[in-house]
Amino acid sequence: MKTKEKSLAENIADDIVARITIDKKYSAGDKLPNENELSADLKVSRTTLREAIRILVAHNLLEIRRGKGTYVKDNQAMDREIGLNTLSAFPMDVKDLYEMRLIFEPQSAYLAARRASDKELERILHYGRLEEDLILKKQDRTEIEQAFHKSIAKATHNEFMNRLMPILYQAIGKGVILSNAREEIVRNTLNDHRMIMEFLSKRDALGAKTAMELHIIHAMRGFGITEE
């Protein structure tokens, strides 16, 4: 069954959330740019922007302070962690975390290739290129790699995928730390991400799914994690 297409205001609301949770342009308590500046930046009318802001206010993500402006609310809803906070608090070993990635992330890549808006796809590719640059410069890529995978999860338009990401961050963070000492894993990450990005840019869902699966399997084998 075909899902209802989102309105322009809903897509703009999604983009504002991504600017907060992925791009880190605004933090909890920050004031958003004024209406003229933000509508110009988002390339939409002020009417559409107002509707997008109303949506986010209704979802308790933004608040309008009379005479002062629109602010990012200081609550956990923005990070989509509601209902999974207790689960993410449990310590998990690398094998458990990577098996979890293998279950969810290939399908995330598949759905993202099919459902991502042009802006969401642009964000994924931006973080992919940024990560590639950090790898080549041998600089820490933890935060950017998390943003890359979070961008993919957001582009699935599946709420559970978004809520799951805080847990998967544990695997991504540990993976970066462990891989820094293993040149082969770093090299595989570079090649695998290029392949994932290529398939996503072509909106080849099966290709993106296979590339993500290979990426995670390469990492597991590099860490000595066996598939049973």
Side-chain angles (χ1 to χ4, degrees):
M1 183 174 66
K2 186 177 179 180
T3 57
K4 180 181 79 71
E5 289 188 7
K6 290 188 175 183
S7 68
L8 178 57
E10 288 171 326
N11 282 324
I12 294 302
D14 279 347
D15 190 41
I16 293 171
V17 170
R19 287 173 176 229
I20 298 167
T21 61
I22 300 174
D23 300 337
K24 308 296 183 185
K25 285 189 175 183
Y26 318 114
S27 302
D30 283 354
K31 180 182 177 181
L32 295 185
N34 65 52
E35 191 176 88
N36 287 337
E37 184 182 342
L38 190 54
S39 62
D41 188 24
L42 292 166
K43 296 180 176 59
V44 293
S45 68
R46 287 182 294 170
T47 301
T48 299
L49 176 61
R50 288 185 200 123
E51 180 59 29
I53 288 174
R54 277 197 289 269
I55 291 169
L56 296 178
V57 168
H59 283 82
N60 201 33
L61 302 178
L62 298 178
E63 65 174 332
I64 297 173
R65 300 177 188 173
R66 289 189 178 278
K68 293 183 178 180
T70 303
Y71 290 78
V72 180
K73 290 209 71 171
D74 186 6
N75 60 37
Q76 293 179 323
M78 187 61 70
D79 286 325
R80 317 282 189 175
E81 295 181 20
I82 298 171
L84 285 174
N85 286 332
T86 53
L87 180 57
S88 62
F90 284 101
M92 303 182 195
D93 65 23
V94 174
K95 182 175 185 291
D96 289 342
L97 289 166
Y98 269 84
E99 284 181 351
M100 191 170 183
R101 289 190 69 184
L102 191 58
I103 292 168
F104 286 98
E105 289 198 68
Q107 189 64 24
S108 292
Y110 177 90
L111 293 175
R114 297 189 62 180
R115 298 176 178 175
S117 67
D118 290 343
K119 190 168 287 187
E120 286 171 333
L121 186 55
E122 182 182 325
R123 178 174 281 109
I124 293 168
L125 298 178
H126 164 73
Y127 282 114
R129 288 190 292 265
L130 201 55
E131 181 179 7
E132 180 178 331
D133 186 52
L134 291 174
I135 290 174
L136 293 173
K137 291 179 179 177
K138 299 186 184 301
Q139 296 177 0
D140 179 51
R141 67 181 193 276
T142 306
E143 187 174 328
I144 297 303
E145 181 157 358
Q146 290 177 345
F148 175 71
H149 287 278
K150 188 170 187 177
S151 297
I152 293 173
K154 191 172 191 316
T156 66
H157 299 176
N158 182 296
E159 182 62 24
F160 186 78
M161 293 291 188
N162 283 305
R163 295 191 183 197
L164 191 64
M165 287 312 295
I167 302 170
L168 297 185
Y169 279 172
Q170 296 180 52
I172 294 170
K174 287 183 179 182
V176 170
I177 293 170
L178 291 172
S179 67
N180 285 337
R182 308 185 191 195
E183 189 63 33
E184 182 185 358
I185 299 178
V186 174
R187 201 163 51 244
N188 281 337
T189 296
L190 188 62
N191 293 332
D192 292 347
H193 274 221
R194 284 173 177 168
M195 186 164 54
I196 293 167
M197 289 166 63
E198 181 179 353
F199 283 120
L200 284 172
S201 66
K202 294 177 179 177
R203 295 191 179 274
D204 183 334
L206 286 174
K209 178 179 181 179
T210 302
M212 182 66 79
E213 186 173 3
L214 286 172
H215 170 48
I216 298 170
I217 289 172
H218 283 155
M220 292 173 72
R221 289 176 179 171
F223 298 140
I225 300 171
T226 58
E227 302 159 64
E228 297 173 357

